[in-house]
Amino acid sequence: MRTKTIKKNKINVVTLGCSKNVYDSEVLMGQLKANGKEVVHEEEGNIAVINTCGFIANAKEESINTILEFVQKKEDGLVDKVFVTGCLSERYKPDLEKEIPNVDQYFGTTELPQLLKVLEADYKHELIGERLTTTPKNYAYLKIAEGCDRPCSFCAIPLMRGKHKSTPIEDLVVEAEKLAAEGVKELVLIAQDLTYYGLDLYKERRLADLLKALVNVDGIEWIRLHYAFPTGFPMEVLELMKNEPKICNYIDIPLQHIADPILKSMRRGTTKAKTTKLLQDFRAVVPDMTIRTTLIVGYPGETQEDFETLREWVREMRFERLGCFTYSHEENTHAYNLEDDVPEEIKMDRVNEIMEIQSQISWELNQTKVGKTFKCVIDRKEGDFFIGRTEFDSPDVDNEVLVDAKKFYLKTGDFVNIKVNQAEDFDLYGEPV
């Protein structure tokens, strides 16, 4: 007769990829905890659940290496079981099952109930907003929609996440209230596309209405907008941003490129002139708004002239925050039918050139902050510094404000007024006042 093992399972959830994956891992962990399971995030455990990213080549490589690392741990007897979920698994499940058969089971992005069942847990529908947050306690991601209906030629997200599906406003308010009760003071709103929010549920764009509901949640002090699509942006959001102190004067709006031939091939539904006007309108309504964007260089057919158009536009627009990536040729996307004809070294040269221009712009903009005082939230202590952010900075991707911990004591999660006395390309140094 088999005797029941006395060792209690500890489930280790490992998260790769973007903030949307972080959110999904937190929901999974919340469900497991509600089922009485012992669950940890990126610590030791005898059962591993790897939440993968499948967006571009680098992310896929990191996901595969992580899977192989845990399969090796399983072979060495350090873990008992390995399960894989998330975007890579959704996109390449048959290939992965063939290539890495030692994984116990693979799950797609919509198979949370099935994954929980294998982990001997029940999916609890009533757990609206119940998550085990993995971010510092003062901020949390709030995913307001899943999937994407945009036809961008280079993007595999609709393959992995499906069509756009908005979460109802009342559910998001409940979730925000629960987060606030746990001490969260900043909500970072995320989706594949914030601009589209509400069109599927309410037949109209309702981002502004959602924001009006969220600003009434007690305890929430900052609300930040991430990943808005430029086409069809609901302009009433800007008036709200200008007049409502809780909504950070900040937006993340991935623009990808600006040369008209590339925008057309990318199927972005916009032009250089329209995009430039949109950004001018943003700045006219909210003059001190921080705009973050991301760009892709080396897209199929990108000529030197296209790149120069992009480069000069970056100089002209003076974005406060900017990230740049090389094009990744992704199968089953519309652009995969095009020849990936820009050599890798030219792609890298172009990324470096854009980031060098941005580094200079960032340095110049940061110098204007010296001598000024900003309300900052303190995220953590690292080495000899307390690390904070202004309302113009998002966690993990933007500027940080460093305060000497040998001279001053600050509490993480607190809002503090900090006077900036020194500035670099991407960091500010200051003292509490």
Side-chain angles (χ1 to χ4, degrees):
M1 191 175 95
R2 278 185 69 191
T3 55
K4 215 172 179 188
T5 175
I6 52 168
K7 183 174 73 168
K8 190 175 181 213
N9 286 328
K10 187 194 273 190
I11 301 165
N12 173 24
V13 178
V14 178
T15 308
L16 302 162
C18 67
S19 54
K20 294 174 280 290
N21 263 18
V22 171
Y23 180 94
D24 293 345
S25 288
E26 291 175 350
V27 170
L28 165 64
M29 291 165 70
Q31 289 276 349
L32 289 168
K33 194 180 176 202
N35 276 274
K37 301 292 178 184
E38 190 180 351
V39 59
V40 292
H41 190 245
E42 299 182 357
E43 294 173 28
E44 293 295 313
N46 67 309
I47 294 175
V49 178
I50 304 164
N51 188 1
T52 58
C53 178
F55 185 44
I56 55 174
N58 295 356
K60 289 190 283 192
E61 194 179 329
E62 185 189 11
S63 292
I64 288 164
N65 288 342
T66 305
I67 296 167
L68 292 172
E69 179 193 326
F70 276 90
V71 162
Q72 188 60 52
K73 284 182 179 180
K74 183 182 165 188
E75 285 171 11
D76 295 344
L78 299 171
V79 298
D80 297 331
K81 291 193 168 174
V82 177
F83 298 103
V84 174
T85 184
C87 290
L88 188 82
S89 189
E90 174 73 36
R91 197 171 167 197
Y92 298 110
K93 195 184 201 173
D95 297 340
L96 288 166
E97 286 170 340
K98 198 165 74 195
E99 297 294 327
I100 316 177
N102 282 13
V103 166
D104 291 85
Q105 207 168 330
Y106 290 92
F107 296 90
T109 52
T110 58
E111 295 181 315
L112 176 60
Q114 295 91 314
L115 170 58
L116 287 166
K117 196 172 177 188
V118 166
L119 296 168
E120 298 175 351
D122 295 321
Y123 179 65
K124 298 182 183 292
H125 287 277
E126 68 276 13
L127 291 182
I128 288 180
E130 294 286 347
R131 285 153 52 196
L132 218 53
T133 54
T134 59
T135 47
K137 67 176 177 19
N138 48 288
Y139 73 84
Y141 296 109
L142 185 65
K143 184 155 73 166
I144 70 167
E146 182 58 275
C148 188
D149 286 1
R150 306 285 183 178
C152 304
S153 65
F154 53 84
C155 186
I157 283 172
L159 301 172
M160 299 181 283
R161 293 281 179 173
K163 290 186 82 60
H164 181 98
K165 192 172 173 219
S166 303
T167 302
I169 290 174
E170 54 273 24
D171 289 359
L172 292 167
V173 170
V174 167
E175 192 166 344
E177 286 169 346
K178 286 181 178 170
L179 290 167
E182 290 165 15
V184 168
K185 296 174 182 175
E186 176 183 4
L187 297 175
V188 182
L189 268 53
I190 56 171
Q192 258 73 43
D193 178 11
L194 292 183
T195 300
Y196 208 86
Y197 178 77
L199 268 177
D200 55 321
L201 269 185
Y202 308 110
K203 307 301 172 233
E204 59 180 344
R205 299 180 198 274
R206 295 285 296 275
L207 181 59
D209 292 336
L210 171 62
L211 291 170
K212 284 174 194 166
L214 291 175
V215 296
N216 291 322
V217 176
D218 287 339
I220 297 299
E221 293 195 40
W222 281 357
I223 299 171
R224 187 179 299 285
L225 302 179
H226 262 252
Y227 319 123
F229 196 88
T231 312
F233 184 82
M235 299 303 276
E236 62 271 23
V237 167
L238 299 179
E239 287 296 332
L240 261 181
M241 189 181 280
K242 183 174 80 174
N243 297 316
E244 174 50 67
K246 283 190 179 184
I247 302 173
C248 295
N249 289 357
Y250 178 102
I251 195 158
D252 184 328
I253 184 160
L255 297 170
Q256 315 301 9
H257 213 283
I258 203 61
D260 285 335
I262 300 296
L263 288 173
K264 187 175 181 185
S265 181
M266 283 182 166
R267 304 164 87 188
R268 294 288 286 171
T270 190
T271 61
K272 180 184 179 187
K274 283 181 186 169
T275 304
T276 304
K277 181 171 187 317
L278 177 72
L279 297 175
Q280 286 165 346
D281 290 345
F282 278 12
R283 298 213 187 279
V285 180
V286 189
D288 62 346
M289 178 197 261
T290 281
I291 301 176
R292 158 171 274 283
T293 195
T294 42
L295 303 173
I296 296 170
V297 293
Y299 179 86
E302 182 189 59
T303 62
Q304 184 60 26
E305 187 186 348
D306 294 327
F307 173 69
E308 283 167 14
T309 300
L310 178 67
R311 185 184 64 198
E312 295 318 307
W313 187 75
V314 167
R315 280 204 179 103
E316 181 192 327
M317 297 313 293
R318 293 178 69 78
F319 289 100
E320 286 80 5
R321 314 278 179 261
L322 183 146
C324 189
F325 303 92
T326 57
Y327 168 77
S328 179
H329 207 44
E330 296 297 318
E331 57 267 88
N332 299 322
T333 61
H334 188 77
Y336 196 67
N337 302 316
L338 306 173
E339 188 192 345
D340 186 11
D341 58 356
V342 181
E344 208 55 43
E345 61 272 23
I346 290 179
K347 288 181 186 177
M348 285 312 302
D349 287 347
R350 288 176 180 177
V351 162
N352 292 335
E353 208 172 323
I354 295 285
M355 288 316 296
E356 208 163 295
I357 292 166
Q358 183 57 33
S359 175
Q360 180 63 28
I361 292 168
S362 185
W363 186 86
E364 288 167 8
L365 293 174
N366 278 351
Q367 297 316 302
T368 67
K369 296 186 168 87
V370 175
K372 292 179 183 168
T373 299
F374 295 91
K375 178 182 172 182
C376 296
V377 67
I378 307 303
D379 281 337
R380 65 190 188 281
K381 182 174 182 279
E382 207 172 89
D384 293 335
F385 292 97
F386 287 103
I387 314 276
R389 287 177 293 110
T390 70
E391 74 167 287
F392 308 109
D393 299 294
S394 210
D396 294 334
V397 291
D398 290 333
N399 284 0
E400 292 179 326
V401 182
L402 285 74
V403 176
D404 191 338
K406 296 196 291 292
K407 282 194 202 169
F408 303 97
Y409 176 73
L410 301 172
K411 267 173 71 182
T412 56
D414 277 5
F415 284 92
V416 183
N417 286 323
I418 293 176
K419 185 177 181 181
V420 175
N421 53 31
Q422 190 193 332
E424 295 177 354
D425 304 8
F426 301 109
D427 286 319
L428 303 171
Y429 295 83
E431 298 186 349
V433 293

